[in-house]
Amino acid sequence: MSRFDTIVRGGMVATSAAVVRCDIGIREGRIAALADSLEGADRVIDAEGRTVTPGGVDSHCHIDQPSRNGSVCADDFLTGTRSALAGGTTTVIPFALQFKGQSLREAVNEYRGRADNRAMTDYAIHMIVVDPNEHVLGQEMPGLIRDGYTSFKIYMTYDGLMLNDREILDVLALARRERAFVMVHAENGDCISWLTDRLEQSGKIAPKYHAHSRPRPVEREGTHRAITLAELLDVPILLVHVSARDVVDEIHRARARGLKLFAETCPQYLFLTEDDLDKPGFEGAKCVCSPPPRDKANQQVIWDGLRNGTFDVFSSDHAPTRFEGLGGKKMHGENASFRWIPNGVPGLETRMPLLFSEGVGKNVIGLEKFVELTATTPAKLYGLYPQKGTIAVGCDADIVIWDDSREVTISNDLLHHNVDYTPYEGMSITGWPAITLSRGEVVWADGEIRAEPGRGEFLPCGFPESAVPLGRPVAQI
């Protein structure tokens, strides 16, 4: 009998702490040994001269998410996780969305069923709470948290999703009591609604005006208010998809006061600008997302934040709405107001290659920081570490072997999602996943998906340290 099922030989193995040349021995889906030289395996994968990183953990992506506005999520768990594997991501954490008046438990169970027999990656699930009534807060959420759904997202904008400040406080108080982790979409919904009405009244309805309806102060105010409410109750929160220098300033001020605050950004804020919303015709609709991309100077602020620790997580915020067809970006026609363009851009497959090429490859960030942002910290924040997010003995053998020097021109034909465009079309990058392993199984190699639908496993999340309050004085209640 062989000592190992697989040996990954001779690669430069990166974790968030170090980069070393070593062999990786895999047995029964887990990493069994790390050493200068290992022998005795049924299969040897040659990684000599290549970078080896943990499989990515994309902790903010929308897959097969239902809606009530007519838009359609183009990726189900089959196409979404297929795309993830091709881009080096082996764990995804999408969202179970509760509708107004719906049982949260019902929403989670229904969503979990969507993944059965389809997911190729392992997956956990966040909850989206839009109706925090007494039953949801008192019974459903505590039970779901104990069942491994230990994180949830709340919105400060979007009709049908946004919570008012009182509801936010109720949810934060529940999170503090149950040690759950809260993600916040921080924009001022009333300001956006007011600005949208005024823009439409002036005939300014083209896709580019989406950015005008959500200027930086709107994100800044929402962020300041979210931080204030969290501070009131001593509850750690994570700010999702931070786009603006104003928000970076708010984060720094909060941390300077000693608050426990986490932040995430996404590829669209590094590689797109507001000018992309002003492409000819209706093409700008392909880049409509919220918050919107900002200007070139703001891009540098986001890059700086990745390097200096402002951002803890680099997620895709994959929102796969097609451009053509029913439920797509054109669902209300090319002359419709920006108000009716479905929000979001696809990015599950391109998330890691973009940052590997333009971050690591151009010496903007180190390889250790790359691993930290794309795998280790998201696994820690959401209670999946050390099973996921690192390369160490005892961990799941989720591994990416990179073709460091491969030059790629991104095109939608190259990708494996079910969306008919990519906002990064024509961008030239260097570096692409050559081989992806998930729990020791080769699931991507030689440009082909080798995983079977349904092989992905549900991951109950533990109680993360990120959710533990600091013990600061709180409002007397």
Side-chain angles (χ1 to χ4, degrees):
M1 179 181 294
S2 299
R3 185 181 174 194
F4 303 107
D5 301 323
T6 302
I7 292 174
V8 177
R9 174 158 293 156
M12 295 300 297
V13 178
T15 68
S16 62
V19 181
V20 296
R21 185 192 179 283
C22 70
D23 292 354
I24 304 172
I26 299 168
R27 186 187 311 119
E28 296 181 352
R30 294 182 179 269
I31 296 172
L34 298 169
D36 288 340
S37 180
L38 295 172
E39 299 294 339
D42 297 331
R43 173 179 54 186
V44 175
I45 299 174
D46 182 11
E48 189 72 37
R50 291 184 167 181
T51 299
V52 178
T53 67
V57 178
D58 195 338
S59 57
H60 185 169
C61 52
H62 301 273
I63 298 173
D64 207 357
Q65 184 173 304
S67 77
R68 288 186 174 171
N69 65 4
S71 64
V72 175
C73 188
D75 277 324
D76 63 11
F77 273 90
L78 176 62
T79 61
T81 57
R82 176 183 71 193
S83 179
L85 291 177
T89 291
T90 53
T91 301
V92 296
I93 316 182
F95 298 88
L97 168 63
Q98 176 200 29
F99 292 117
K100 287 282 188 182
Q102 183 185 23
S103 156
L104 185 59
R105 171 72 71 173
E106 175 189 327
V108 170
N109 289 345
E110 192 275 338
Y111 190 66
R112 175 86 177 270
R114 290 171 178 261
D116 288 347
N117 302 315
R118 299 190 72 77
M120 292 183 176
T121 66
D122 292 346
Y123 65 97
I125 293 175
H126 304 297
M127 300 177 281
I128 294 178
V129 181
V130 303
D131 193 359
N133 58 51
E134 184 176 340
H135 178 71
V136 167
L137 291 170
Q139 297 185 42
E140 291 192 329
M141 290 187 73
L144 286 163
I145 290 166
R146 293 184 182 94
D147 289 345
Y149 304 92
T150 60
S151 56
F152 48 86
K153 183 179 180 182
I154 57 177
Y155 286 85
M156 301 174 78
T157 185
Y158 297 131
D159 292 340
L161 297 179
M162 64 185 290
L163 304 184
N164 61 39
D165 287 358
R166 185 184 182 94
E167 290 171 323
I168 292 172
L169 286 169
D170 283 340
V171 172
L172 292 176
L174 178 280
R176 190 179 196 278
R177 185 175 73 247
E178 300 293 336
R179 295 296 190 265
F181 192 45
V182 185
M183 312 160 72
V184 183
H185 179 136
E187 291 182 289
N188 186 308
D190 287 334
C191 286
I192 293 166
S193 178
W194 188 89
L195 287 166
T196 298
D197 289 344
R198 295 307 184 273
L199 287 163
E200 287 181 338
Q201 289 166 12
S202 300
K204 298 176 179 179
I205 63 172
K208 69 177 181 180
Y209 292 109
H210 173 77
H212 295 219
S213 74
R214 300 174 116 95
R216 294 203 312 260
V218 165
E219 188 181 359
R220 182 184 69 219
E221 191 284 330
T223 299
H224 179 81
R225 184 155 41 95
I227 292 170
T228 300
L229 296 175
E231 182 179 10
L232 188 66
L233 297 179
D234 184 30
V235 180
I237 61 172
L238 179 137
L239 299 165
V240 296
H241 48 52
V242 171
S243 76
R245 72 188 74 174
D246 312 54
V247 177
V248 169
D249 292 340
E250 290 290 336
I251 292 167
H252 291 166
R253 280 193 287 269
R255 288 176 176 168
R257 297 201 306 276
L259 302 187
K260 191 172 180 180
L261 179 67
F262 302 92
E264 164 202 280
T265 196
C266 309
Q268 49 267 40
Y269 307 119
L270 298 178
F271 302 108
L272 302 178
T273 71
E274 58 194 7
D275 291 341
D276 289 301
L277 277 69
D278 194 21
K279 290 180 178 179
F282 201 64
E283 287 292 305
K286 292 179 177 179
C287 300
V288 166
C289 58
S290 297
R294 309 298 180 179
D295 59 19
K296 277 285 186 183
N298 195 87
Q299 280 186 344
Q300 187 57 52
V301 173
I302 303 302
W303 274 114
D304 291 343
L306 288 174
R307 186 172 56 248
N308 65 28
T310 300
F311 297 114
D312 304 277
V313 177
F314 185 72
S315 301
S316 69
D317 191 13
H318 179 69
T321 306
R322 294 175 68 86
F323 189 56
E324 304 283 353
L326 293 175
K329 296 279 190 178
K330 294 183 178 181
M331 59 185 288
H332 293 286
E334 295 189 28
N335 295 317
S337 168
F338 64 86
R339 180 201 294 266
W340 305 112
I341 299 172
N343 262 254
V345 297
L348 247 176
E349 189 167 344
T350 48
R351 174 186 72 117
M352 292 181 70
L354 282 168
L355 191 62
F356 186 85
S357 172
E358 304 306 289
V360 178
K362 295 186 176 178
N363 297 314
V364 179
I365 60 172
L367 194 52
E368 297 94 332
K369 175 63 75 172
F370 171 83
V371 171
E372 178 185 314
L373 289 164
T374 61
T376 306
T377 301
K380 288 181 176 179
L381 289 180
Y382 298 106
L384 296 176
Y385 184 87
Q387 179 182 357
K388 302 294 185 182
T390 194
I391 295 175
V393 173
C395 302
D396 283 357
D398 293 359
I399 295 168
V400 184
I401 303 170
W402 292 82
D403 188 342
D404 303 59
S405 60
R406 180 183 172 188
E407 296 182 357
V408 174
T409 299
I410 297 175
S411 71
N412 201 57
D413 291 341
L414 174 74
L415 305 180
H416 295 77
H417 58 202
N418 192 38
V419 189
D420 55 0
Y421 79 96
T422 170
Y424 311 110
E425 185 79 32
M427 184 174 174
S428 296
I429 63 174
T430 301
W432 199 267
I435 301 173
T436 303
L437 292 87
S438 171
R439 283 181 279 110
E441 177 186 348
V442 175
V443 289
W444 164 260
D446 301 321
E448 296 181 351
I449 294 291
R450 299 188 179 181
E452 291 296 323
R455 67 162 300 279
E457 296 182 353
F458 171 70
L459 302 169
C461 294
F463 290 92
E465 190 281 332
S466 54
V468 177
L470 289 171
R472 295 166 59 91
V474 298
Q476 297 301 307
I477 52 176

